[in-house]
Amino acid sequence: MGEHRKLAGDWESVSHKNLDLFLKKLGTPAFLRQNAAQMKLSQKISFPGHTMKVITVQNSKINKKVIPLDGRNFRDQIFQKFYTATAVIGGDGSIKIQGKMTESEAIITILRRIDKSGRIRVITVLDGVECVRVFVK
């Protein structure tokens, strides 16, 4: 079993850092930024085949994505802004997504890893602005 499979399971967000600044950099309107900071979200992560499936529930909204883990390009969105990226599995079991935003061509990096206390840390960097979200099982 690969180390990345430790990311599998049901996770609940417990904290975030720099979310408002990140969303501002992304171009998200102020009222949506205020709502996003107050919303809890949950994620169910699984690994069918050589992909990572992430089902995110925020309030009653459900978002499903399947991310190839073999270096193939894929298209996705974050707060209704599209990007094209690739995902790779790190030797430490982390999953790193890196690509470019469609509208601005800014570089986006999303790193998902288990920290020393068993929590998932999702570190998203857009054009030098870093946002960290923490999830627990």
Side-chain angles (χ1 to χ4, degrees):
M1 177 166 107
E3 285 294 307
H4 68 285
R5 295 193 181 272
K6 291 179 181 176
L7 294 165
D10 296 321
W11 300 88
E12 299 288 329
S13 68
V14 292
S15 67
H16 58 79
K17 178 181 171 189
N18 287 339
L19 181 61
D20 186 67
L21 187 60
F22 171 79
L23 293 176
K24 193 173 192 177
K25 183 72 172 178
L26 193 59
T28 306
F31 73 93
L32 289 177
R33 292 195 319 262
Q34 290 169 348
N35 288 339
Q38 296 173 7
M39 290 183 189
K40 293 281 185 178
L41 61 105
S42 63
Q43 291 188 332
K44 181 180 181 105
I45 300 174
S46 60
F47 293 95
H50 203 60
T51 64
M52 177 174 65
K53 183 177 181 181
V54 181
I55 300 172
T56 302
V57 178
Q58 191 168 20
N59 291 342
S60 60
K61 184 179 177 186
I62 298 173
N63 181 17
K64 298 177 185 180
K65 44 180 97 178
V66 178
I67 300 166
L69 297 175
D70 58 5
R72 284 183 290 141
N73 280 338
F74 67 96
R75 188 166 189 248
D76 200 359
Q77 62 179 320
I78 186 166
F79 286 91
Q80 300 177 349
K81 304 286 184 173
F82 286 93
Y83 63 91
T84 301
T86 58
V88 294
I89 301 168
D92 61 355
S94 64
I95 295 181
K96 182 178 183 181
I97 297 170
Q98 188 158 7
K100 285 188 178 181
M101 300 304 296
T102 302
E103 291 177 17
S104 67
E105 294 200 14
I107 302 295
I108 186 166
T109 303
I110 304 167
L111 180 68
R112 196 178 249 108
R113 65 178 175 85
I114 302 283
D115 67 16
K116 292 177 183 176
S117 62
R119 304 174 302 173
I120 286 184
R121 296 177 65 83
V122 179
I123 303 163
T124 307
V125 181
L126 176 65
D127 235 9
V129 176
E130 180 179 283
C131 172
V132 179
R133 294 191 93 152
V134 177
F135 294 80
V136 296
K137 275 194 174 183

